[in-house]
Amino acid sequence: MASIVQSLSVPSTYKDQQYQGTSAQLAADLANSTTLYVGNLSFFTTEEQIYELFSKCGEIKRIIMGLDRHQKTPCGFCFVEYYHNADALDCMKYINSSKLDERIVRSDLDHGYREGRQFGRGRSGGQVRDEYRQEFDAGRGGWGHVRALQEAERERDQKANYEAITTIPEGANLEYKDRKDGTEQPKRERDDDEDSVMEPPSKKANPRFREGDDDDDEA
């Protein structure tokens, strides 16, 4: 019976470039596969966390963590092997696109793990998708490899051409020296000194007042 809703257990159209067989052989391997490729993991997600989540769909045979080719540290992917194909299909249905360690993980049927596939294929040793990533992702090592090189170059250029001034410019020596020595008094202190020096205004005679008026009145 035809269905308008695509099954969630259908593998993606991605083909591993290192797969040696034909397309028909790949389809046959995927039809009987018990292995899942899991991507978009945080570099800090542990094997125990992966086991706790993916064991909900069946008994797990083993988990192979993806590693940086040079540093031998986790680089954001792994392989999960079940004992039965049905368990791998159930995982595709119920766990794919779920959240693990605050990240939406992707799972896809894999044709089968071979020794050496646990290492990243990027130039820097990690995954290729992280080579040219332009956004900052703290869970996957910060910047992508190419962007990290650009940021490092920008910091070197900024340090070389926009270094903060640590010495007093030649033409401003006297001005900075005067301020530093404190020879220039603050405005409030100057005002207080001026007020203390100023003499009180002299008393002016009132032209309408005549001396001796009191005597005249008494007379």
Side-chain angles (χ1 to χ4, degrees), residues 93-151:
K93 294 177 184 177
Y94 305 122
I95 295 184
N96 186 30
S97 298
S98 61
K99 183 174 287 189
L100 175 62
D101 213 2
E102 300 302 320
R103 301 184 68 85
I104 302 299
V105 297
R106 306 185 312 272
S107 59
D108 193 12
L109 280 176
D110 188 80
H111 57 81
Y113 172 76
R114 298 290 185 276
E115 185 63 32
R117 293 188 64 200
Q118 74 270 33
F119 299 118
R121 301 176 185 175
R123 295 180 180 179
S124 61
Q127 288 190 274
V128 176
R129 66 183 296 261
D130 286 321
E131 293 286 310
Y132 301 97
R133 177 166 43 79
Q134 291 296 312
E135 72 278 4
F136 186 87
D137 191 338
R140 295 184 68 90
W143 297 112
H145 179 62
V146 173
R147 179 62 183 270
L149 294 178
Q150 294 173 349
E151 288 294 318

Side-chain angles (χ1 to χ4, degrees), residues 58-198:
E59 187 176 0
I60 294 177
K61 183 178 180 180
R62 62 173 176 169
I63 296 175
I64 302 97
M65 297 295 293
L67 301 175
D68 185 286
R69 188 172 64 254
H70 303 311
Q71 302 179 19
K72 303 300 185 292
T73 55
C75 64
F77 73 99
C78 73
F79 296 95
V80 178
E81 285 190 5
Y82 289 95
Y83 283 98
H84 306 287
N85 172 260
D87 295 337
L89 296 179
D90 286 342
C91 184
M92 289 280 292
K93 294 177 184 177
Y94 305 122
I95 295 184
N96 186 30
S97 298
S98 61
K99 183 174 287 189
L100 175 62
D101 213 2
E102 300 302 320
R103 301 184 68 85
I104 302 299
V105 297
R106 306 185 312 272
S107 59
D108 193 12
L109 280 176
D110 188 80
H111 57 81
Y113 172 76
R114 298 290 185 276
E115 185 63 32
R117 293 188 64 200
Q118 74 270 33
F119 299 118
R121 301 176 185 175
R123 295 180 180 179
S124 61
Q127 288 190 274
V128 176
R129 66 183 296 261
D130 286 321
E131 293 286 310
Y132 301 97
R133 177 166 43 79
Q134 291 296 312
E135 72 278 4
F136 186 87
D137 191 338
R140 295 184 68 90
W143 297 112
H145 179 62
V146 173
R147 179 62 183 270
L149 294 178
Q150 294 173 349
E151 288 294 318
E153 180 64 26
R154 184 183 67 83
E155 290 181 2
R156 287 194 296 268
D157 180 70
Q158 187 176 32
K159 186 176 182 180
N161 299 316
Y162 302 96
E163 188 73 24
I165 298 176
T166 57
T167 58
I168 299 175
E170 184 66 25
N173 278 340
L174 296 177
E175 179 183 355
Y176 283 110
K177 186 174 184 302
D178 291 342
R179 292 183 180 179
K180 184 177 180 182
D181 294 341
T183 55
E184 182 179 354
Q185 294 179 336
K187 183 177 184 301
R188 185 176 181 83
E189 294 181 4
R190 292 200 307 270
D191 293 341
D192 293 340
D193 294 342
E194 292 173 0
D195 293 340
S196 62
V197 174
M198 292 178 61

